Amino acid sequence: MLADQLDYIVGVDPHRDSQAVAVVDVRTGAVVFEATVAANNDGYRQALVLGQEHARGRRVFAVEGTGSFGAGLTRFLTGRGERVLEVGRLRRERRSGGKTDALDAVHAARSVLSNKRAATPRAGGERQALQALVAAREGAVNAKRAGLCQLRDLLITTPEPLRAELRPLTRARLLQRLAATRPDGRRDPELRGSLLALRSIARRVLQLTAEERELAREIEALTRKLAPQLLDQPGVGPHAAAQLVLSWSHQGRIASEAAFARLAGAAPIPASSGQTIRYRLDRSGDRKLNRALHMILVTRKRSHPATISYIERRLAEGKTRRETNRCLKRYLARSLYRLLEHPPTTA
């Protein structure tokens, strides 16, 4: 047990402007000290001093949400040699024991005593930069998709003969045509208003397309630097590889391939009844990681001979396509985890 290696646990419940801190004695489980500090460098320094004063000896900081409101404190503590663990959401404890920031800090500390939902925080540096790029690209893609849907809806009600002129154009030519249009103020008000709206949306879509491509190039370059072995695998593109790196984070954070499969929602869950023995996929876990595995398999099913032959063999054995996909996703999680943890050395 992790608690056998510690004397004190400093639980932290972070928020935007303040952070609740609670020191718990590992031997007794009693709360030694509680305080609230500001969510800035002075507050982080105060939290460290409180830990040094009231948690002398072997201690660890258990921070809830190290990837959000707890990121600043986590970065500050790890930079000064303190050991930090990431604590997941503690909804069960909140329902049974009330809800305050001070109680949440105590719950965060005590969750480590039973070794529940505690892990090392995700890596910063280049991985954090990759996460920011992926989030920015995802926002650009979603906004571009929304713009195209809005453009399509407006074209349906555009007055004739403009509608007949625009309908046969391809998407690229349509966007260029609309972005370069200059509505005439002497025209019909309905036509002028439609042209202004279409031009605005077309220019927005073109700008978002340029942003998305620029971010995609940065993502591919950084992913190739962090995990080039992933991009050598069939069906693994830059965006899927980036998500794999983000979810995995760094060597040693995920203890085993089974834990990685559970994180990806690819671990088999028994679903047997009577004489029927079967398994189903886990519907929990990191859904973005699960989607990355799914997209890799979609590509492999079309062009990877080994995957195609495996599917045919499993179907011949009586497996359903859903069961075959479950087996494929579990195998994929295993192989990619091994590549991440033990990358091949180059001569």
Side-chain angles (χ1 to χ4, degrees):
M1 295 290 291
L2 178 63
D4 296 335
Q5 308 170 13
L6 301 171
D7 298 320
Y8 295 95
I9 302 173
V10 184
V12 182
D13 179 43
H15 293 274
R16 188 192 67 178
D17 300 319
S18 63
Q19 298 185 339
V21 180
V23 179
V24 173
D25 190 322
V26 171
R27 293 168 296 177
T28 63
V31 179
V32 177
F33 184 82
E34 291 180 293
T36 300
V37 300
N40 52 37
N41 282 334
D42 292 337
Y44 303 155
R45 191 174 295 106
Q46 184 181 356
L48 176 59
V49 171
L50 292 174
Q52 293 171 340
E53 291 179 353
H54 300 279
R56 299 180 182 274
R58 301 173 299 174
R59 63 175 175 269
V60 67
F61 284 81
V63 182
E64 183 180 359
T66 59
S68 54
F69 289 127
L73 177 63
T74 300
R75 192 179 298 113
F76 181 89
L77 294 174
T78 53
R80 283 153 181 80
E82 293 291 331
R83 187 178 180 186
V84 180
L85 293 179
E86 179 183 18
V87 179
R89 294 184 179 181
L90 304 168
R91 293 176 178 172
R92 182 175 302 173
E93 288 83 349
R94 288 174 179 173
R95 285 199 298 266
S96 61
K99 171 71 175 77
T100 66
D101 294 344
L103 284 175
D104 285 346
V106 174
H107 291 329
R110 286 177 175 167
S111 68
V112 180
L113 292 175
S114 57
N115 203 24
K116 296 187 301 182
R117 297 186 297 277
T120 57
R122 288 178 170 85
E126 291 178 327
R127 182 205 163 273
Q128 187 65 32
L130 182 62
Q131 184 175 17
L133 292 170
V134 169
R137 179 187 173 274
E138 183 178 356
V141 169
N142 291 337
K144 174 185 173 182
R145 185 182 299 115
L148 289 172
C149 291
Q150 192 176 20
L151 187 67
R152 179 196 61 193
D153 294 341
L154 281 176
L155 286 174
I156 295 175
T157 58
T158 299
E160 299 289 354
L162 179 61
R163 182 170 180 264
E165 177 187 346
L166 298 177
R167 283 187 64 182
L169 299 180
T170 63
R171 178 188 294 181
R173 294 184 61 188
L174 175 65
L175 291 173
Q176 294 295 336
R177 164 76 170 77
L178 292 175
T181 189
R182 294 184 178 181
D184 189 349
R186 295 171 296 179
R187 289 186 177 182
D188 176 70
E190 181 182 3
L191 181 60
R192 183 175 185 275
S194 297
L195 281 173
L196 284 173
L198 291 170
R199 183 182 67 177
S200 175
I201 297 173
R203 290 179 176 179
R204 186 190 316 157
V205 169
L206 289 175
Q207 181 181 358
L208 289 169
T209 301
E211 290 180 10
E212 187 272 332
R213 290 175 179 173
E214 179 183 2
L215 292 168
R217 289 192 295 269
E218 293 292 333
I219 290 171
E220 181 176 3
L222 192 51
T223 303
R224 195 171 296 280
K225 179 180 179 182
L226 293 174
Q229 69 276 17
L230 292 180
L231 296 175
D232 296 333
Q233 300 302 305
V236 181
H239 304 305
Q243 185 57 55
L244 288 166
V245 172
L246 291 179
S247 300
W248 168 75
S249 182
H250 58 274
Q251 290 179 339
R253 182 177 185 273
I254 301 176
S256 64
E257 63 184 37
F260 184 74
R262 177 57 59 88
L263 174 66
I269 304 298
S272 303
S273 178
Q275 296 182 350
T276 302
I277 300 176
R278 60 179 293 270
Y279 296 87
R280 65 170 177 84
L281 278 178
D282 187 359
R283 295 183 177 87
S284 61
D286 187 337
R287 303 316 296 175
K288 290 184 177 180
L289 176 58
N290 184 277
R291 184 176 184 276
L293 297 181
H294 173 75
M295 297 310 298
I296 294 171
L297 286 180
V298 167
T299 303
R300 290 191 176 187
K301 288 176 184 178
R302 293 197 302 258
S303 57
H304 190 225
T307 301
I308 296 172
S309 62
Y310 177 85
I311 293 174
E312 293 174 351
R313 178 167 60 85
R314 283 294 194 175
L315 292 176
E317 293 173 357
K319 294 284 187 182
T320 64
R321 288 196 175 274
R322 179 172 292 183
E323 291 171 335
T324 303
N325 289 336
R326 178 193 64 76
C327 295
L328 279 170
K329 195 170 284 189
R330 178 63 178 89
Y331 166 79
L332 185 60
R334 179 190 303 117
S335 61
L336 293 176
Y337 171 80
R338 291 175 179 176
L339 280 174
L340 289 165
E341 285 288 323
H342 309 288
T345 57
T346 57

mmCIF file of all heavy atoms in Angstrom, residues 24-50:
data_model
loop_
_atom_site.group_PDB
_atom_site.id
_atom_site.type_symbol
_atom_site.label_atom_id
_atom_site.label_comp_id
_atom_site.label_asym_id
_atom_site.label_seq_id
_atom_site.Cartn_x
_atom_site.Cartn_y
_atom_site.Cartn_z
ATOM 1 N N VAL A 24 -3.350 15.289 6.788
ATOM 2 C CA VAL A 24 -3.904 14.097 7.433
ATOM 3 C C VAL A 24 -2.764 13.192 7.870
ATOM 4 O O VAL A 24 -1.837 12.923 7.097
ATOM 5 C CB VAL A 24 -4.854 13.348 6.481
ATOM 6 C CG1 VAL A 24 -5.298 12.026 7.090
ATOM 7 C CG2 VAL A 24 -6.055 14.207 6.147
ATOM 8 N N ASP A 25 -2.828 12.725 9.113
ATOM 9 C CA ASP A 25 -1.839 11.784 9.647
ATOM 10 C C ASP A 25 -2.155 10.390 9.115
ATOM 11 O O ASP A 25 -3.277 9.891 9.267
ATOM 12 C CB ASP A 25 -1.896 11.794 11.175
ATOM 13 C CG ASP A 25 -0.736 11.034 11.809
ATOM 14 O OD1 ASP A 25 -0.339 9.976 11.255
ATOM 15 O OD2 ASP A 25 -0.216 11.478 12.834
ATOM 16 N N VAL A 26 -1.178 9.750 8.491
ATOM 17 C CA VAL A 26 -1.408 8.444 7.872
ATOM 18 C C VAL A 26 -1.683 7.381 8.924
ATOM 19 O O VAL A 26 -2.526 6.496 8.728
ATOM 20 C CB VAL A 26 -0.186 8.056 7.011
ATOM 21 C CG1 VAL A 26 -0.290 6.619 6.532
ATOM 22 C CG2 VAL A 26 -0.074 8.987 5.812
ATOM 23 N N ARG A 27 -1.027 7.443 10.066
ATOM 24 C CA ARG A 27 -1.180 6.395 11.086
ATOM 25 C C ARG A 27 -2.565 6.384 11.705
ATOM 26 O O ARG A 27 -3.127 5.317 11.961
ATOM 27 C CB ARG A 27 -0.125 6.591 12.174
ATOM 28 C CG ARG A 27 1.310 6.356 11.714
ATOM 29 C CD ARG A 27 2.294 6.843 12.749
ATOM 30 N NE ARG A 27 2.193 8.302 12.920
ATOM 31 C CZ ARG A 27 2.894 8.989 13.798
ATOM 32 N NH1 ARG A 27 3.744 8.360 14.600
ATOM 33 N NH2 ARG A 27 2.756 10.301 13.877
ATOM 34 N N THR A 28 -3.137 7.541 11.955
ATOM 35 C CA THR A 28 -4.422 7.633 12.643
ATOM 36 C C THR A 28 -5.569 8.059 11.737
ATOM 37 O O THR A 28 -6.733 7.844 12.070
ATOM 38 C CB THR A 28 -4.322 8.633 13.802
ATOM 39 O OG1 THR A 28 -4.029 9.938 13.281
ATOM 40 C CG2 THR A 28 -3.220 8.221 14.767
ATOM 41 N N GLY A 29 -5.245 8.675 10.603
ATOM 42 C CA GLY A 29 -6.281 9.202 9.736
ATOM 43 C C GLY A 29 -6.876 10.506 10.227
ATOM 44 O O GLY A 29 -7.848 11.001 9.650
ATOM 45 N N ALA A 30 -6.295 11.077 11.267
ATOM 46 C CA ALA A 30 -6.827 12.308 11.838
ATOM 47 C C ALA A 30 -6.348 13.522 11.045
ATOM 48 O O ALA A 30 -5.266 13.509 10.453
ATOM 49 C CB ALA A 30 -6.387 12.437 13.297
ATOM 50 N N VAL A 31 -7.177 14.563 11.072
ATOM 51 C CA VAL A 31 -6.821 15.816 10.408
ATOM 52 C C VAL A 31 -5.926 16.624 11.345
ATOM 53 O O VAL A 31 -6.338 16.988 12.454
ATOM 54 C CB VAL A 31 -8.075 16.626 10.040
ATOM 55 C CG1 VAL A 31 -7.684 17.935 9.374
ATOM 56 C CG2 VAL A 31 -8.986 15.810 9.128
ATOM 57 N N VAL A 32 -4.712 16.900 10.907
ATOM 58 C CA VAL A 32 -3.737 17.614 11.732
ATOM 59 C C VAL A 32 -3.891 19.119 11.590
ATOM 60 O O VAL A 32 -3.793 19.869 12.571
ATOM 61 C CB VAL A 32 -2.307 17.178 11.340
ATOM 62 C CG1 VAL A 32 -1.271 17.968 12.134
ATOM 63 C CG2 VAL A 32 -2.127 15.685 11.571
ATOM 64 N N PHE A 33 -4.165 19.579 10.381
ATOM 65 C CA PHE A 33 -4.202 21.019 10.133
ATOM 66 C C PHE A 33 -5.030 21.291 8.888
ATOM 67 O O PHE A 33 -5.043 20.497 7.941
ATOM 68 C CB PHE A 33 -2.773 21.561 9.942
ATOM 69 C CG PHE A 33 -2.692 23.048 9.769
ATOM 70 C CD1 PHE A 33 -2.713 23.885 10.870
ATOM 71 C CD2 PHE A 33 -2.606 23.607 8.506
ATOM 72 C CE1 PHE A 33 -2.657 25.259 10.718
ATOM 73 C CE2 PHE A 33 -2.543 24.986 8.335
ATOM 74 C CZ PHE A 33 -2.570 25.806 9.453
ATOM 75 N N GLU A 34 -5.765 22.403 8.903
ATOM 76 C CA GLU A 34 -6.556 22.826 7.752
ATOM 77 C C GLU A 34 -6.327 24.311 7.509
ATOM 78 O O GLU A 34 -6.146 25.092 8.453
ATOM 79 C CB GLU A 34 -8.041 22.585 7.980
ATOM 80 C CG GLU A 34 -8.443 21.126 8.010
ATOM 81 C CD GLU A 34 -9.928 20.953 8.231
ATOM 82 O OE1 GLU A 34 -10.409 21.295 9.330
ATOM 83 O OE2 GLU A 34 -10.621 20.476 7.299
ATOM 84 N N ALA A 35 -6.343 24.708 6.247
ATOM 85 C CA ALA A 35 -6.146 26.112 5.896
ATOM 86 C C ALA A 35 -6.654 26.339 4.481
ATOM 87 O O ALA A 35 -6.919 25.387 3.727
ATOM 88 C CB ALA A 35 -4.681 26.515 6.009
ATOM 89 N N THR A 36 -6.797 27.621 4.137
ATOM 90 C CA THR A 36 -7.163 28.025 2.784
ATOM 91 C C THR A 36 -6.150 29.042 2.302
ATOM 92 O O THR A 36 -5.843 30.011 3.011
ATOM 93 C CB THR A 36 -8.571 28.643 2.747
ATOM 94 O OG1 THR A 36 -9.524 27.667 3.203
ATOM 95 C CG2 THR A 36 -8.945 29.053 1.328
ATOM 96 N N VAL A 37 -5.603 28.821 1.109
ATOM 97 C CA VAL A 37 -4.590 29.714 0.549
ATOM 98 C C VAL A 37 -5.088 30.239 -0.778
ATOM 99 O O VAL A 37 -6.018 29.695 -1.383
ATOM 100 C CB VAL A 37 -3.236 28.982 0.376
ATOM 101 C CG1 VAL A 37 -2.724 28.469 1.709
ATOM 102 C CG2 VAL A 37 -3.373 27.836 -0.628
ATOM 103 N N ALA A 38 -4.460 31.296 -1.233
ATOM 104 C CA ALA A 38 -4.835 31.889 -2.525
ATOM 105 C C ALA A 38 -4.293 31.045 -3.673
ATOM 106 O O ALA A 38 -3.272 30.359 -3.547
ATOM 107 C CB ALA A 38 -4.305 33.317 -2.613
ATOM 108 N N ALA A 39 -4.956 31.122 -4.812
ATOM 109 C CA ALA A 39 -4.538 30.372 -5.999
ATOM 110 C C ALA A 39 -3.590 31.218 -6.835
ATOM 111 O O ALA A 39 -3.886 31.597 -7.974
ATOM 112 C CB ALA A 39 -5.751 29.942 -6.812
ATOM 113 N N ASN A 40 -2.433 31.530 -6.265
ATOM 114 C CA ASN A 40 -1.377 32.262 -6.961
ATOM 115 C C ASN A 40 -0.036 31.823 -6.383
ATOM 116 O O ASN A 40 0.009 30.954 -5.494
ATOM 117 C CB ASN A 40 -1.570 33.775 -6.843
ATOM 118 C CG ASN A 40 -1.745 34.237 -5.403
ATOM 119 O OD1 ASN A 40 -1.108 33.706 -4.486
ATOM 120 N ND2 ASN A 40 -2.611 35.224 -5.187
ATOM 121 N N ASN A 41 1.041 32.405 -6.856
ATOM 122 C CA ASN A 41 2.369 31.978 -6.405
ATOM 123 C C ASN A 41 2.548 32.141 -4.908
ATOM 124 O O ASN A 41 3.172 31.297 -4.251
ATOM 125 C CB ASN A 41 3.451 32.758 -7.156
ATOM 126 C CG ASN A 41 3.675 32.230 -8.566
ATOM 127 O OD1 ASN A 41 3.417 31.055 -8.828
ATOM 128 N ND2 ASN A 41 4.131 33.077 -9.465
ATOM 129 N N ASP A 42 2.029 33.233 -4.340
ATOM 130 C CA ASP A 42 2.143 33.416 -2.890
ATOM 131 C C ASP A 42 1.380 32.329 -2.149
ATOM 132 O O ASP A 42 1.851 31.811 -1.126
ATOM 133 C CB ASP A 42 1.607 34.797 -2.502
ATOM 134 C CG ASP A 42 2.481 35.926 -3.022
ATOM 135 O OD1 ASP A 42 3.682 35.666 -3.275
ATOM 136 O OD2 ASP A 42 1.972 37.041 -3.194
ATOM 137 N N GLY A 43 0.182 31.980 -2.668
ATOM 138 C CA GLY A 43 -0.586 30.913 -2.043
ATOM 139 C C GLY A 43 0.091 29.564 -2.183
ATOM 140 O O GLY A 43 0.083 28.744 -1.249
ATOM 141 N N TYR A 44 0.684 29.294 -3.342
ATOM 142 C CA TYR A 44 1.399 28.037 -3.529
ATOM 143 C C TYR A 44 2.571 27.939 -2.559
ATOM 144 O O TYR A 44 2.831 26.884 -1.964
ATOM 145 C CB TYR A 44 1.919 27.928 -4.966
ATOM 146 C CG TYR A 44 0.860 28.048 -6.028
ATOM 147 C CD1 TYR A 44 1.185 28.484 -7.315
ATOM 148 C CD2 TYR A 44 -0.471 27.724 -5.757
ATOM 149 C CE1 TYR A 44 0.219 28.599 -8.295
ATOM 150 C CE2 TYR A 44 -1.447 27.842 -6.740
ATOM 151 C CZ TYR A 44 -1.096 28.283 -8.009
ATOM 152 O OH TYR A 44 -2.041 28.401 -8.976
ATOM 153 N N ARG A 45 3.280 29.043 -2.389
ATOM 154 C CA ARG A 45 4.406 29.062 -1.456
ATOM 155 C C ARG A 45 3.923 28.841 -0.021
ATOM 156 O O ARG A 45 4.558 28.127 0.755
ATOM 157 C CB ARG A 45 5.148 30.390 -1.586
ATOM 158 C CG ARG A 45 6.483 30.424 -0.867
ATOM 159 C CD ARG A 45 7.216 31.712 -1.152
ATOM 160 N NE ARG A 45 7.587 31.822 -2.572
ATOM 161 C CZ ARG A 45 6.975 32.621 -3.440
ATOM 162 N NH1 ARG A 45 5.955 33.390 -3.047
ATOM 163 N NH2 ARG A 45 7.364 32.672 -4.693
ATOM 164 N N GLN A 46 2.781 29.423 0.316
ATOM 165 C CA GLN A 46 2.232 29.232 1.651
ATOM 166 C C GLN A 46 1.808 27.785 1.873
ATOM 167 O O GLN A 46 2.012 27.220 2.954
ATOM 168 C CB GLN A 46 1.029 30.162 1.846
ATOM 169 C CG GLN A 46 0.441 30.118 3.250
ATOM 170 C CD GLN A 46 -0.759 31.040 3.391
ATOM 171 O OE1 GLN A 46 -1.111 31.773 2.452
ATOM 172 N NE2 GLN A 46 -1.386 31.016 4.560
ATOM 173 N N ALA A 47 1.230 27.157 0.838
ATOM 174 C CA ALA A 47 0.844 25.750 0.962
ATOM 175 C C ALA A 47 2.059 24.864 1.182
ATOM 176 O O ALA A 47 2.021 23.920 1.987
ATOM 177 C CB ALA A 47 0.085 25.307 -0.291
ATOM 178 N N LEU A 48 3.156 25.172 0.510
ATOM 179 C CA LEU A 48 4.378 24.396 0.698
ATOM 180 C C LEU A 48 4.920 24.575 2.107
ATOM 181 O O LEU A 48 5.335 23.599 2.759
ATOM 182 C CB LEU A 48 5.417 24.818 -0.336
ATOM 183 C CG LEU A 48 6.805 24.173 -0.218
ATOM 184 C CD1 LEU A 48 6.689 22.661 -0.316
ATOM 185 C CD2 LEU A 48 7.740 24.716 -1.286
ATOM 186 N N VAL A 49 4.902 25.806 2.612
ATOM 187 C CA VAL A 49 5.382 26.063 3.972
ATOM 188 C C VAL A 49 4.522 25.340 4.999
ATOM 189 O O VAL A 49 5.033 24.748 5.960
ATOM 190 C CB VAL A 49 5.409 27.584 4.237
ATOM 191 C CG1 VAL A 49 5.701 27.864 5.718
ATOM 192 C CG2 VAL A 49 6.457 28.260 3.360
ATOM 193 N N LEU A 50 3.208 25.359 4.797
ATOM 194 C CA LEU A 50 2.320 24.646 5.714
ATOM 195 C C LEU A 50 2.598 23.147 5.698
ATOM 196 O O LEU A 50 2.570 22.484 6.748
ATOM 197 C CB LEU A 50 0.860 24.918 5.336
ATOM 198 C CG LEU A 50 0.359 26.353 5.551
ATOM 199 C CD1 LEU A 50 -1.055 26.501 5.005
ATOM 200 C CD2 LEU A 50 0.401 26.708 7.032
#
